Amino acid sequence: MKAEYSFENGEITVFLHGDLDEYGAGKIKDEIDQTISSHPARAFVFDMKDVAFVDSTGLGFLLGRYKKLRAKRAELLVKNVNPQVDKVFKTSGVYSFVPKID
Amino acid sequence: MKDYFKLEITAESKNEAFARATVASFSLALSPTLEEIGDVKTATSEAVTNAVVHAYRGGEGIIEIIGEIDAKENSLTVTVADFGCGIEDVERALEPFYTTKQDDERSGMGFTIIDTFTDEMQVSSTLGAGTTVKFKKVFKKC
């Protein structure tokens, strides 16, 4: 799992690459948390175009980042979600905390 | 005789991708849709993660995965067994959002996802001996 970042108008887009499971989430968590704590932003957008797979560990990862950002009064959004990922997100109701944008 | 495979992996999170890819490949004999393949991969991942994270708590262990095809029914049954610590209260573990590792950012949705994404799920566990998660996916015939 890898992440790349782009900064624009107080919004940070995080391009995630890889599977967001126990292994992948563990690899990327600290790095993303460092970015969250060192870069003030209005919103973080996780671009999931290159995430082929998410399971409940990925959900926990997403909710963990959501809580960290909420504590800083920032939003977390997701975009470019593939059908498998979308089904996991819908089943868990995560979109009511972390909205999906186009 | 039913067509089956049996796989043993060390309980490491990096092996989850291998486990779900193996189960997905095995299911191809049943001509699943993309969505059905995704369901089987997700359910497998949840069961294997449960063994890695909860049964062995990140320590050493073996996970056994068996896949079995019922050609008549066009279904795949997957059994994921560990020989770890076992689940104290299975009924509780099956509740959505229930987790024993709240501080660890676990979503508590693992079993709920298996249950939702498959047609049948059984979880049996003995404290100190291990847990077996079994699920069945019936593939629609086109």
Side-chain angles (χ1 to χ4, degrees):
Chain A
M1 184 114 227
K2 264 190 340 179
E4 287 164 62
Y5 306 86
S6 87
F7 304 79
E8 201 180 343
N9 300 327
E11 217 176 79
I12 298 178
T13 302
V14 185
F15 298 94
L16 297 170
H17 304 270
D19 289 354
L20 199 48
D21 60 358
E22 178 67 21
Y23 186 62
K27 287 237 164 225
I28 208 76
K29 195 160 102 175
D30 290 349
E31 184 194 307
I32 289 180
D33 283 350
Q34 264 179 19
T35 310
I36 290 175
S37 58
S38 58
H39 294 79
R42 179 167 36 81
F44 271 67
V45 181
F46 285 179
D47 188 323
M48 308 199 49
K49 189 174 150 288
D50 289 333
V51 176
F53 182 86
V54 167
D55 64 13
S56 68
T57 304
L59 276 179
F61 164 83
L62 205 67
L63 289 170
R65 311 293 70 71
Y66 160 78
K67 283 182 193 162
K68 281 205 155 64
L69 286 162
R70 192 184 54 178
K72 299 185 75 178
R73 293 167 194 271
E75 250 189 311
L76 177 60
L77 307 158
V78 287
K79 71 193 272 193
N80 296 327
V81 178
N82 90 11
Q84 185 273 338
V85 177
D86 194 50
K87 193 167 176 181
V88 171
F89 285 176
K90 271 189 187 141
T91 303
S92 60
V94 79
Y95 287 140
S96 48
F97 304 101
V98 183
K100 180 170 68 170
I101 55 166
D102 293 330
Chain B
M1 191 180 173
K2 282 182 187 170
D3 195 15
Y4 83 101
F5 80 85
K6 187 171 167 180
L7 174 72
E8 247 183 37
I9 55 170
T10 43
E12 290 179 61
S13 64
K14 69 177 164 62
N15 288 335
E16 290 176 8
F18 172 63
R20 60 180 179 257
T22 303
V23 175
S25 309
F26 187 69
S27 77
L28 292 180
L30 296 167
S31 312
T33 62
L34 275 180
E35 184 177 0
E36 286 167 338
I37 293 176
D39 292 350
V40 161
K41 273 180 145 176
T42 313
T44 304
S45 201
E46 298 300 350
V48 175
T49 304
N50 182 64
V52 172
V53 173
H54 297 287
Y56 296 119
R57 297 175 180 166
E60 281 183 19
I62 299 285
I63 303 169
E64 190 183 276
I65 303 163
I66 296 170
E68 206 180 356
I69 281 175
D70 184 331
K72 246 190 203 159
E73 202 183 40
N74 215 45
S75 72
L76 169 74
T77 298
V78 177
T79 308
V80 177
D82 66 64
F83 312 95
C85 65
I87 301 170
E88 213 175 299
D89 187 343
V90 172
E91 217 170 296
R92 214 151 168 225
L94 300 185
E95 287 171 15
F97 305 110
Y98 176 77
T99 177
T100 51
K101 293 181 188 279
Q102 205 103 49
D103 304 336
D104 207 22
E105 293 185 353
R106 316 294 330 174
S107 68
M109 286 299 283
F111 287 133
T112 306
I113 286 177
I114 300 176
D115 197 29
T116 312
F117 285 31
T118 65
D119 296 281
E120 264 175 48
M121 177 185 75
Q122 284 159 20
V123 181
S124 54
S125 193
T126 309
L127 270 185
T131 300
T132 300
V133 179
K134 194 172 178 177
F135 60 83
K136 180 161 98 175
K137 180 81 181 167
V138 182
F139 298 92
K140 287 184 194 85
K141 285 184 182 154
C142 14

